[in-house]
Each structure stands twice: as C-alpha cells, then as structure tokens.
Amino acid sequence: MIPDGELLRSRVVSALSPALEDALDRELDGYALVSPRNALLDSGNDRGVITFESGVATLAYHTGTDRGGPPALADIGSPPYQFELYALAAEALELPHRTETLRIPPGAAAERLAGDAELAARVRAAVADDGDERSERDAVEAFLENEAAVSDIRDAARTDALERAEEWGFSEALEE
Amino acid sequence: MVEAFAVASGKGGTGKTTSTMALGMALAERYDVTVVDADTGMANLLFHAGLADVETTLHDVLVEGGVPVEAATYDRFGMSVVPCGTSLAAFESVEPDRLRDVVAELAADTDVLLLDSPATLNSKSAVLPIVLADRVVVVLNPTVPAISDGLKVQEYALSYGSDIAGTVFNRVRGDITGVKAKAERYFEGPTLASVPESDAIQAARSAGVPLLDHAPESPAAAAFRTAAGRLSPNDGDHEDVAERFRTAVIPDPP
Ligand SMILES: Nc1ncnc2c1ncn2[C@@H]1O[C@H](COP(=O)(O)OP(=O)(O)O)[C@@H](O)[C@H]1O
Ligand SMILES: [Mg+2]
C-alpha cells in the first residue's frame, strides 16, 4: 500500500524522542519502520510502520499482529529499536492516510512510544497551527475565486484614484 | 540610467521595509542602489538600517529651507540609505511635494532607487511614491486583507501610469501554491518570490540590521535574492533623469 521511500537514516536507538522530534522539525512526509532490536535476530517481520504527514505521526500499523491505529503502537514493544526513516512524497501517502482504522491521534506516537508528553504537546500545537494556516489559506482561495468581489475592489480603487487625481495634482500622470 | 521602484502594500506590517532593505542589498551586488524611507509619516526604515541615532534625516530635507539630501544620505550595507525621522512634529512641518525634487536629485546619481512607501492610500503624500516610481513592487501576505489592499495599490499605480514590477508574498507559512496561482490572475507582473515566515527576519529587526546582513544564508534571504534577480532593472535609458521625475506629475500651482 505504501511505496518505497528514500532512506534517510537507519540506526539502533534507545529512545524515539529525538527521531520523532527531528521528523516534526523538518515537517517530514514519509514513514518509519520500527522494530525491537532483538526482532532483527528472527524473522524481521515483526515491525511497526508509522507514517508522517508534515512531521506528524499520522498512521500506525504492525506487521506482526496486523493491527492498526493505537493498538499497533502498543504492539511495537520496548526499546532499543532498529529505526529506519524514509521520505516519501505527500501524495503517495494521501490514500493510506484516509484509512481511518490505521490513524492515530496527533501526539500519540510521542506519548505512547517515546513516553514524551512534552513532544506530544508540541505535535498537537503544530497540528492546531496547521489547521489555522489551512483555514486562512482556504479563506484566501475562496476570496480569489470570487471574481465579482475582486472586480468590485479594483473598480472602486480605480474610481478613487481617478477622483483624487485632480485634488492631488496628479492629473498629468493619469493613464488615458 | 535609473529605475525607481516603490515598495508598497497599502497595509502596515506586511514587510515593506524588510523587503526594501533586502531587495536593495541584493540589487547592490550589481547596481548602485539608493533606498529612501518615503513613509514620512510612519518612518521605520532607520530601525532596519542601523540608523536609529542619526541626526539628519529626510524630514530635515523636506522642510522649507531644508538641508540638501546628501546631508541625510548614509552609506550602509553597500547602499546609499536616506532614512526618515519619527517625530510627528517634524512630519507636520514637512512639505511632502518636495519628495519629487529629492527623488529627481537622487535619481541623477544612482542605478536603482527603492522607495519604501506608506501603508495607506489616503493622502497625497502617501500615494506620491507610487506616482513617482517607474514600477511598483507589491508586497502581499497570504491573507484576505493584505491581498485586497495589494489590489488597491495596483489600481492606483496603474491609474497613475506606474507599472507593476511584480508581487512578493511575505510571511508565508506552509504551501501556498494554490493562492499564488489564483492571485496571479489578478496581479500584473510575476510573483517575484515567496518569503517564508522567518525567525531570522525577526532577529535581524531586533539587531537593527537588514536580513541580508544578519542572515544571508537564510531561506528568507535567498527568496529576496530570487525576487531581486527577477526585477532586472532597466539600464541604458539616457533621457534627462532629473527632468523626468520633476515632470512625472504636474507641479502644484505656485
Ligand atoms: N517573513 C517574515 N517573517 C517574520 N517576521 C517578519 C517577516 N516579514 C516581516 N516581519 C516582521 O514584521 C514586522 C513588520 O515588518 P516591516 O518590514 O517593518 O513591515 P512594514 O514596513 O510593511 O510595516 C517587523 O517586525 C518584521 O521583522
Ligand atoms: Mg515600514
């Protein structure tokens, strides 16, 4: 379901906070593969997949238990982990991110997997900011799609400019 | 060979002064640049240019019997900078029309003139920089009020025979590709750059120096250099520069 991404790093970590924080700071689109260190010794099938949307862990799935969402986070087990981080175009993740059963709440990965309440709060603040940004952007796009409203503003400004030209001594500059 | 740009937005706090200094410094790598704080009522370029403590400013030039503009011109960051003072009393005694002569004089001796313009369109002195400019750089933020005020600036500029050099989207957060594409349908000239919301810009302002001096490697600085590259000022126009500005608008009756 998720195509291969570009490998950014692969290492053994004893805590996930720094990696999750790094993903947040660089607003990463992509995914991480997380497996308990000892799992490497056996099948290698037993791993958690966590996807990121603009740096926020959005979806979790566990290959061993075939469970998704918050239960998948619980299935990942405890550190140290083998941690692999991949970057992927946001579009490639759009479809999986719509799979409700796999979604995790913002901050859940930081809280449950890394035990980092502070980072979880930062993640939630970033999501709230993003929401503000998006609604502002939607408002701007809606405004720009309203051609009549834009024309009204331009016409009114042009009328003002022409009316004031004489008062201000700019008549000579007027475009014919 | 001079081209005068007004950096304008019709709204305060969009980043006109930040943009003026940044574009000025970027253009100064190739041209002889003079920047003027033409926002004589709400001057703040001096705080961006390390000139907060200077004695003589544009206010002293624009009063009856004022000093010559050279006395208010400072070499800073590779440019000639003409700051304006912040005293309201001084502003009230200023004769705004004299800006025309000042611009004419400065234009005789530089390649690129950048006029940091007022945040309103409600008075003659506020609109004069737009009239005097050959082209206007419209500074936008990706918000409805900033874009509508930018549209008004554009109409004033076009009405008074000034061209639009393009738009700079400043204080951009996230991806505004859709906004830019839709805005381009209404604005003349290209989108010159998208400048991100940037801690480096705040820090430069606190340090009292231009962004390109404080954090030349920042993404915001790179965006302004891109914008400057797209301005490609006209060179090679050999008409009598001073005369051009003096007659750019009809003088007031004596
Ligand atoms: N892209 C940006 N990111 C963060 N702060 C900015 C940005 N652009 C401008 N600012 C800040 O906003 C304030 C207003 O900017 P300024 O250039 O003085 O605006 P104007 O001249 O249009 O009133 C300043 O404190 C400046 O540092
Ligand atoms: Mg300003």
Side-chain angles (χ1 to χ4, degrees), chain A residues 141 144-145 154 158 161 168, chain B residues 124 155-156 160 182 186:
Chain A
E141 292 202 28
L144 291 171
E145 267 157 30
R154 299 180 68 170
R158 193 164 275 262
W168 288 343
Chain B
K124 175 175 183 176
E155 290 312 314
Y156 271 75
Y160 296 143
K182 292 188 170 88
Y186 304 111

Side-chain angles (χ1 to χ4, degrees), chain B residues 13 15-18 37 39 42-45 48 116-117:
Chain B
K16 292 177 294 297
T17 305
T18 301
D37 192 347
D39 188 356
M42 289 267 284
N44 72 343
L45 189 134
H48 290 248
D116 184 12
S117 304

Side-chain angles (χ1 to χ4, degrees), chain A residues 2-168:
Chain A
I2 297 171
D4 286 346
E6 174 205 350
L7 180 63
L8 298 176
R9 63 152 75 142
S10 169
R11 65 170 70 147
V12 176
V13 297
S14 56
L16 276 183
S17 278
L20 294 178
E21 189 159 16
D22 176 50
L24 181 66
D25 288 340
R26 58 162 101 186
E27 300 182 8
L28 176 79
D29 292 311
Y31 61 95
L33 304 181
V34 188
S35 36
R37 184 70 175 96
N38 55 18
L40 286 182
L41 305 176
D42 42 66
S43 70
N45 256 341
D46 236 16
R47 49 192 185 182
V49 183
I50 298 171
T51 66
F52 294 87
E53 185 177 10
S54 297
V56 175
T58 301
L59 175 161
Y61 173 71
H62 194 267
T63 56
T65 61
D66 193 31
R67 298 204 292 175
L73 293 176
D75 293 340
I76 289 176
S78 40
Y81 302 114
Q82 173 70 29
F83 182 83
E84 292 174 19
L85 190 63
Y86 296 83
L88 196 59
E91 301 81 66
L93 288 163
E94 214 172 282
L95 197 63
H97 281 160
R98 276 190 243 141
T99 317
E100 285 305 322
T101 51
L102 300 183
R103 289 185 72 96
I104 52 174
E111 213 146 48
R112 297 189 204 172
L113 216 49
D116 189 336
E118 204 180 312
L119 178 60
R122 261 197 70 200
V123 171
R124 285 191 281 267
V127 171
D129 266 8
D130 264 14
D132 290 352
E133 236 170 70
R134 202 165 305 143
S135 56
E136 173 95 69
R137 200 153 57 213
D138 288 350
V140 171
E141 292 202 28
F143 166 71
L144 291 171
E145 267 157 30
N146 188 344
E147 290 189 19
V150 172
S151 291
D152 284 351
I153 289 171
R154 299 180 68 170
D155 292 347
R158 193 164 275 262
T159 308
D160 282 350
L162 298 180
E163 269 174 23
R164 286 161 164 183
E166 196 166 348
E167 177 193 336
W168 288 343

Side-chain angles (χ1 to χ4, degrees), chain B residues 9 11-19 44 48 116 119 170-172 195-199 201-202 205 220:
Chain B
S9 70
K11 189 177 181 319
T14 50
K16 292 177 294 297
T17 305
T18 301
S19 303
N44 72 343
H48 290 248
D116 184 12
N170 186 31
R171 311 206 76 150
V172 171
V195 181
E197 179 73 23
S198 152
D199 292 343
I201 289 184
Q202 309 264 8
R205 172 66 181 81

